[in-house]
Amino acid sequence: MKNVFIYLICLLPVLSLAQINEFEQDSTSITYLIIDGDSIPKASVDLEEVYILNKLKFDNRDDRIRYLILRRKTLKVYPYAKMAADRLDSMNTRLASLKRNRDKNRYTKQVQKYIEGEFSEKLKKFSRTEGQILVKLIHRQTGTTAFDLVKELRSGWRAFWYNTTASMFDISLKREFNPLLVKEDYLIEDILLRSFQSGLLERQESAVKYNFYDLTDKWMNNKTAE
């Protein structure tokens, strides 16, 4: 009964902006919704997917502290990973509209300078672990490793040196986000989902596909997985 009540509360704001009309279609009466600001009638309302998250449980105080530290760092770096994904999407859309290679190269260089100017000083203030979390989240948001992104925008030689320099600080630009095999990555995903639902972070869907409930069953319910 409680779940039904929560569902109705989530649905009410959407229905309050909707107008319900009936249309005749092949002699069958079908109810459609006219959403305010949308002239296209719909037979259903698209609702944002909501995960039912388990209550957090920790085996000991140290595990709880490690989770809270990971949470603080994830919240700090996620906006930069999201921004990188947004910039990449905008760049690809713009490049697709350009016909001449000269225009594409000029635009790519402009984007590179903008991103470097926007990120460089801020990223220098990140710790090693924050930098590595950022690299993982860039892969989560784009489906591409930071190394391959640099390789695509720059030359392969430039990407090699970027990775070599990062490795000196215990940061691999080739690191992927893999919550199936790495428990820390699962915990990062848990932190993100909770922050999305609480409104603490702006949601951006993961380009890395997984089943969160399968991950939870593996890492939280199956102790042999650790």
Side-chain angles (χ1 to χ4, degrees):
M1 186 65 182
K2 181 179 179 182
N3 290 337
V4 174
F5 180 69
I6 294 175
Y7 174 80
L8 289 175
I9 290 179
C10 293
L11 191 58
L12 279 175
V14 178
L15 293 181
S16 65
L17 297 176
Q19 172 187 348
I20 302 177
N21 291 328
E22 288 192 357
F23 296 84
E24 288 291 334
Q25 184 177 19
D26 297 331
S27 72
T28 302
S29 180
I30 301 177
T31 300
Y32 286 94
L33 299 174
I34 307 297
I35 307 298
D36 186 28
D38 189 350
S39 60
I40 302 176
K42 297 182 179 180
S44 61
V45 178
D46 297 327
L47 296 178
E48 188 175 273
E49 184 176 13
V50 176
Y51 288 92
I52 306 300
L53 303 175
N54 295 331
K55 183 177 180 180
L56 288 174
K57 295 181 181 180
F58 303 98
D59 293 335
N60 51 61
R61 182 174 179 272
D62 288 342
D63 284 349
R64 182 176 183 274
I65 292 175
R66 280 193 290 269
Y67 179 89
L68 292 176
I69 293 175
L70 182 63
R71 179 179 182 274
R72 174 176 57 80
K73 293 181 177 181
T74 299
L75 295 181
K76 179 179 180 179
V77 305
Y78 170 79
Y80 295 95
K82 181 182 181 300
M83 189 184 302
D86 290 338
R87 295 288 185 272
L88 181 64
D89 183 63
S90 298
M91 186 186 73
N92 289 336
T93 300
R94 174 61 174 162
L95 286 175
S97 68
L98 299 176
K99 303 300 182 182
R100 298 186 301 178
N101 289 333
R102 183 175 63 181
D103 293 335
K104 292 182 179 181
N105 291 334
R106 183 185 300 115
Y107 176 72
T108 300
K109 290 180 180 179
Q110 290 175 350
V111 172
Q112 290 170 1
K113 290 181 180 180
Y114 173 78
I115 291 178
E116 289 174 0
E118 189 172 22
F119 281 97
S120 58
E121 291 303 318
K122 296 177 181 178
L123 297 184
K124 288 178 182 178
K125 299 178 181 180
F126 283 176
S127 66
R128 294 180 183 179
T129 54
E130 289 169 349
Q132 195 64 83
I133 292 173
L134 175 62
V135 168
K136 290 182 178 182
L137 289 182
I138 286 176
H139 179 252
R140 179 193 187 273
Q141 303 311 122
T142 66
T144 306
T145 65
F147 178 87
D148 286 335
L149 286 176
V150 173
K151 185 177 180 180
E152 181 179 349
L153 295 176
R154 299 283 190 172
S155 67
W157 181 249
R158 179 75 175 238
F160 168 78
W161 283 110
Y162 264 57
N163 190 64
T164 302
T165 304
S167 296
M168 294 173 61
F169 297 96
D170 197 26
I171 297 176
S172 172
L173 298 182
K174 296 180 179 179
R175 185 70 60 85
E176 297 182 355
F177 181 75
N178 194 338
L180 180 62
L181 298 180
V182 182
K183 186 175 182 180
E184 180 183 88
D185 292 358
Y186 161 74
L187 294 176
I188 290 174
E189 188 63 26
D190 177 86
I191 290 168
L192 291 177
L193 292 180
R194 293 179 190 277
S195 299
F196 294 157
Q197 293 192 10
S198 67
L200 195 59
L201 292 177
E202 183 178 351
R203 181 185 296 272
Q204 187 181 66
E205 294 302 322
S206 173
V208 179
K209 301 306 177 185
Y210 57 87
N211 185 302
F212 183 75
Y213 295 116
D214 288 345
L215 296 177
T216 299
D217 184 63
K218 173 182 179 178
W219 293 113
M220 296 292 100
N221 300 331
N222 184 6
K223 296 299 183 181
T224 61
E226 299 186 29

